[in-house]
Amino acid sequence: MADHLDLHTVGDLLHHYPRRYAERGELTRLSDLPLDEHVTVVAQVADARVHTFNGGRGRRLEVTITDGSGRLQLVFFGKGVHKPRTELQPGTRAMFAGKVSVFNRKRQLAHPEFKTLGAGSGAEAVEAFAHQLLPLYPACKQMESWQIQQAIDTVLGPAGHEEAALAGLIDPLPESLREGRGLATLPEALRKIHRPGTKADIATARDRLKWDEAFVLQVALARRRQADAQLPAAPRKPAPDGLLTAFDARLPFTLTEGQRRVSEEIFADLATDHPMHRLLQGEVGSGKTMVALRAMLGVVDAGGQAAMLAPTEVLAQQHHRSITEMMGELAEGGMLGGAEQGTKVVLLTGSMGAAARRQALLDLVTGEAGIVIGTHALIEDKVQFHDLGLVVVDEQHRFGVEQRDALRSKGKQPPHLLVMTATPIPRTVAMTVFGDLETSVLDQLPSGRSPIASHVVPAKDKPHFLTRAWERVREEVAAGHQAYVVCPRIGDEEDESRAAKEKSAEDEAEKRPPLAVVDVAEQLVKGPLGDLRVEVLHGRMQPEAKDEVMRRFAAGEVDVLVATTVIEVGVNVPNATAMVIMDADRFGVSQLHQLRGRVGRGSAAGLCLLVTDMPEGSPARARLGAVAATLDGFELSRIDLEQRREGDVLGQAQSGVRSSLRVLAVIDDEEVIVAAREEAAAIVAADPELAGYPQLRTALDALLDKERAEFLDKG
């Protein structure tokens, strides 16, 4: 049980809650059985027969069961025939569990585990039995649902005496909070979730257990914020007539209302003597880089240095290029022709030549360079700063917590931290996952950005739609614009073999690997885009080659760029107005939204075509329809989350913390999360060490076992 379900203690077992409840005869209906899945069914034996084969040496028991919605065949072989033959007489009701397979075009369970129900009981017992709610637990092949139930029954003891068995439990909720909110006690909640008498019992239990999860997590985050507020940091106030003032004076446009508001929040944080921890969320193209750059310039004004961390070399180079362009002579501090209050802006990536790298490192350690932009090469031990005051992390979800921490340790005292993400996170998720960061949101697009029209192109159902898609690309190019074509895969040999290994059930169903850049580019050149200038871009090209292609595309020397998602983040070519995403169903919702943000960046309207072979009515098509229907990233992130479950959001990928949520649903339980955050903040403010809450402290230590505590400490 420990290995397969990660249940090691009695507490783990009690907090392994039922996934759902079946009323007798209302489990997975036989008519709805999914193939290849472990199921539990309650049904009645209609018929049982033993067949011999192999000249009488082999024996097979076939049992037909029914639940009113359908019939199902069970088969047992060899020695496994004896027990079911005696126990599964026609008319017997039982629970059966096993994996659904198909034999002779009929669904069946081979050698299912089973447990007869109510054998030999009187009429009252059967009646009580029929109305009892059966808990069905998340199970696995090695541990069926009712084996888990038996283990829990052993812990809970006989009916009516559960509260005595649960009396010694550690209850994380302070008594006053529990009573004030009218929540059940912990023993009562655990009894009702595992042995509910009614559906109301289940609701009461879930209400209470949700609070435990939300509250303990929010206390952890509140203490983290409190500890951060105690850390020393150098206040960074921009000089009144320095670099920032000079930069603002050069800007050819005015900042949006949102950019001004968020900048004020950031400068207020930078002026304090404890480290800023701020998450800057903004739609693709909402001007996050401009806000971050002004913060960096403010820190340079105050005598410090600022570092911007980008997830890829292409992006680091691009940030470097756009920032030096925006700054003009202000980026040439100490050089001939440079402005007197300027500074040096250096780039540091893994693929730089030795001489350029040496010079960049020297500029950092002497303080000559006020701003450095780089990939994780910035984190290496060799990199030393003169006085690191601000770290800006672009696209946080691509950076491990350890990496952020390593960069922060480069400062003489902890530097301020600004995390930028273009994947909008619903407020509740932000509060649950990034609860130790203050959040700023840029929700309006700068003037001059154009709307993007998005359409789904069902290539298989309507091939002429795809033909029309390529015509649209040619029309955009004829009008003097450029286009992207995005594919899920690169398409060289190494890639092919990996793709073959990673085939999912969906791929199997399609019998076709995802479309590849190399192949699609070749087909386009030979076919519909034959007379256009088509180039490819993908992650396995040499950095110089990648940069050269991007430079030529940005300069308008390439009409159509066929690329992988290497263009997903930050690539900025205002003249690119059309994007065709091949096999769009193979990308996630937020990824499609990110990709789409690459077009419509100039004054001409953008067009995004989502090409798919998926049939109408499939979940994949519904997902694409949702993306086509709205440009609101927050709305899409909710859709994404509802489809993916929180585990993925709170799981390893996003936060490095194993998801500790069992009954709390981040999107649905918004009110609980908000209320728990307020209660947690009040308790931590009054008693930071939780001296008056020993049980809460114990629960917190359990949540923040060593691995998680380290993770939270790194923030």
Side-chain angles (χ1 to χ4, degrees):
M1 198 187 279
D3 294 347
H4 299 295
L5 292 168
D6 199 21
L7 304 177
H8 302 271
T9 64
V10 168
D12 288 345
L13 185 64
L14 286 172
H15 290 292
H16 186 73
Y17 306 133
R19 189 181 35 166
R20 59 194 181 86
Y21 299 85
E23 294 173 80
R24 292 269 139 77
E26 183 218 86
L27 274 125
T28 305
R29 289 154 49 93
L30 293 185
S31 55
D32 301 337
L33 285 183
L35 267 184
D36 285 336
E37 278 191 32
H38 284 276
V39 297
T40 303
V41 296
V42 169
Q44 193 159 8
V45 177
D47 179 52
R49 296 162 190 231
V50 176
H51 301 269
T52 55
F53 57 93
N54 217 357
R57 287 193 299 279
R59 302 171 70 211
R60 179 175 81 242
L61 170 66
E62 288 181 4
V63 178
T64 306
I65 58 172
T66 174
D67 68 351
S69 76
R71 295 167 84 81
L72 180 68
Q73 188 99 30
L74 317 177
V75 288
F76 301 87
F77 295 98
K79 295 202 175 81
V81 164
H82 303 307
K83 182 172 181 271
R85 190 179 178 189
T86 51
E87 294 189 15
L88 297 179
Q89 298 296 327
T92 306
R93 287 178 71 72
M95 277 215 275
F96 303 91
K99 193 172 177 183
V100 184
S101 56
V102 167
F103 180 71
N104 272 347
R105 294 221 195 113
K106 281 189 183 156
R107 281 178 296 194
Q108 67 167 26
L109 297 182
H111 281 280
E113 304 241 0
F114 66 90
K115 180 183 176 194
T116 56
L117 297 177
S121 13
E124 301 90 49
V126 172
E127 185 59 29
F129 187 81
H131 287 107
Q132 188 187 343
L133 290 159
L134 292 177
L136 293 179
Y137 292 89
C140 63
K141 190 174 173 189
Q142 293 77 6
M143 198 74 196
E144 296 295 354
S145 172
W146 63 73
Q147 291 170 294
I148 297 169
Q149 190 185 347
Q150 279 169 343
I152 287 172
D153 279 344
T154 307
V155 174
L156 291 178
H161 297 278
E162 296 91 349
E163 316 250 340
L166 299 171
L169 282 176
I170 287 165
D171 186 341
L173 283 197
E175 187 72 10
S176 57
L177 188 160
R178 187 184 67 69
E179 289 180 348
R181 298 217 168 243
L183 297 167
T185 62
L186 188 57
E188 182 193 350
L190 289 171
R191 173 177 63 79
K192 287 182 170 174
I193 199 124
H194 292 298
R195 291 180 173 170
T198 62
K199 289 187 175 160
D201 282 354
I202 300 169
T204 302
R206 291 178 70 90
D207 285 349
R208 158 65 209 242
L209 297 168
K210 276 177 189 177
W211 256 92
D212 286 11
E213 288 178 11
F215 179 70
V216 175
L217 186 58
Q218 292 299 346
V219 168
L221 293 167
R223 291 189 72 199
R224 174 97 186 84
R225 287 195 297 277
Q226 178 101 358
D228 282 340
Q230 311 306 317
L231 284 175
R236 309 281 178 175
K237 293 180 182 163
D241 280 318
L243 187 54
L244 181 60
T245 312
F247 175 76
D248 284 348
R250 289 179 46 97
L251 281 180
F253 52 82
T254 54
L255 297 175
T256 65
E257 161 69 33
Q259 284 174 316
R260 279 202 299 276
R261 186 192 70 244
V262 170
S263 287
E264 278 165 22
E265 291 171 353
I266 290 171
F267 284 121
D269 282 0
L270 291 173
T272 61
D273 53 10
H274 55 84
M276 161 170 86
H277 276 140
R278 194 165 276 283
L279 175 70
L280 173 56
Q281 297 195 57
E283 284 291 4
V284 174
S286 58
K288 292 185 299 295
T289 311
M290 172 60 71
V291 168
L293 175 56
R294 292 185 72 247
M296 288 158 77
L297 295 173
V299 167
V300 175
D301 257 354
Q305 290 169 293
M308 182 184 247
L309 212 50
T312 63
E313 291 210 352
V314 167
L315 210 61
Q317 286 160 342
Q318 182 162 320
H319 275 317
H320 181 253
R321 202 166 38 232
S322 64
I323 282 174
T324 44
E325 277 168 15
M326 282 195 266
M327 286 175 65
E329 72 271 18
L330 296 173
E332 295 162 6
M335 300 183 222
L336 278 173
E340 135 196 27
Q341 71 269 65
T343 187
K344 225 173 175 182
V345 180
V346 300
L347 176 69
L348 191 62
T349 61
S351 65
M352 281 168 83
R357 186 178 173 77
R358 233 183 349 260
Q359 182 60 52
L361 290 171
L362 187 64
D363 287 340
L364 284 180
V365 77
T366 59
E368 186 82 10
I371 294 179
V372 57
I373 294 155
T375 54
H376 48 260
L378 276 179
I379 299 166
E380 291 166 14
D381 292 342
K382 287 196 280 284
V383 182
Q384 296 300 324
F385 289 84
H386 176 63
D387 178 14
L388 179 61
L390 170 66
V391 176
V392 178
V393 180
D394 190 13
E395 288 305 317
Q396 190 270 350
H397 60 279
R398 294 163 177 257
F399 259 117
V401 169
E402 287 77 11
Q403 294 167 305
R404 270 179 13 214
D405 186 52
L407 189 57
R408 267 173 37 191
S409 66
K410 300 270 184 198
K412 292 192 174 73
Q413 44 193 164
H416 299 280
L417 175 70
L418 180 65
V419 172
M420 302 199 295
T421 173
T423 310
I425 307 164
R427 173 164 163 264
T428 40
V429 182
M431 281 169 48
T432 312
V433 186
F434 302 107
D436 57 330
L437 298 175
E438 295 301 322
T439 306
S440 295
V441 179
L442 280 172
D443 46 13
Q444 60 189 124
L445 292 184
S447 55
R449 290 295 305 253
S450 303
I452 306 170
S454 308
H455 303 284
V456 178
V457 177
K460 208 167 188 175
D461 305 351
K462 300 177 176 165
H464 60 285
F465 274 39
L466 185 59
T467 312
R468 175 73 188 120
W470 300 127
E471 279 172 17
R472 283 292 290 116
V473 170
R474 298 175 61 90
E475 286 164 15
E476 288 297 314
V477 173
H481 299 304
Q482 292 158 279
Y484 297 100
V485 176
V486 183
C487 306
R489 209 161 50 90
I490 297 173
D492 49 23
E493 277 50 58
E494 189 187 334
D495 201 47
E496 296 284 350
S497 61
R498 199 171 76 243
K501 282 195 199 97
E502 290 173 358
K503 273 204 174 144
S504 67
E506 222 173 304
D507 290 351
E508 283 297 340
E510 291 193 47
K511 293 283 183 274
R512 154 170 102 57
L515 291 171
V517 167
V518 181
D519 311 337
V520 169
E522 193 181 324
Q523 289 160 12
L524 292 176
V525 169
K526 287 183 177 162
L529 308 183
D531 51 346
L532 302 183
R533 297 168 298 177
V534 177
E535 294 267 355
V536 300
L537 178 73
H538 57 71
R540 232 175 265 134
M541 289 161 63
Q542 287 303 312
E544 301 78 55
K546 273 195 288 204
D547 210 38
E548 176 58 16
V549 170
M550 261 330 293
R551 190 197 60 69
R552 291 180 42 233
F553 186 63
E557 296 162 23
V558 173
D559 297 320
V560 179
L561 188 62
V562 184
T564 53
T565 54
V566 70
I567 64 151
E568 173 187 349
V569 192
V571 173
N572 185 17
V573 180
N575 191 43
T577 53
M579 175 177 287
V580 180
I581 303 179
M582 308 302 291
D583 276 345
D585 48 273
R586 314 258 179 156
F587 298 97
V589 170
S590 56
Q591 209 174 17
L592 290 169
H593 183 59
Q594 285 271 10
L595 285 165
R596 168 171 66 185
R598 302 295 116 222
V599 296
R601 299 179 79 87
S603 50
L607 171 70
C608 179
L609 301 174
L610 307 167
V611 180
T612 177
D613 279 355
M614 286 306 201
E616 202 165 352
S618 61
R621 271 287 280 282
R623 207 168 64 230
L624 294 181
V627 174
T630 178
L631 290 173
D632 179 342
F634 286 91
E635 178 57 32
L636 288 174
S637 65
R638 285 187 84 100
I639 293 169
D640 198 18
L641 194 63
E642 280 158 7
Q643 292 187 339
R644 288 189 315 169
R645 301 189 350 266
E646 283 81 18
D648 305 344
V649 176
L650 303 187
Q652 218 72 29
Q654 290 266 347
S655 61
V657 180
R658 291 194 308 274
S659 174
S660 56
L661 302 193
R662 295 191 172 94
V663 283
L664 191 73
V666 177
I667 285 282
D668 301 336
D669 296 322
E670 188 157 354
E671 283 139 33
V672 176
I673 291 169
V674 174
R677 184 180 170 104
E678 286 165 8
E679 296 274 12
I683 281 176
V684 171
D687 182 357
E689 292 305 309
L690 304 179
Y693 304 97
Q695 296 204 311
L696 174 56
R697 276 211 71 125
T698 310
L700 205 56
D701 294 341
L703 172 74
L704 306 179
D705 53 31
K706 189 164 174 298
E707 165 204 3
R708 297 190 196 187
E710 281 171 9
F711 156 73
L712 276 178
D713 283 342
K714 289 176 178 167

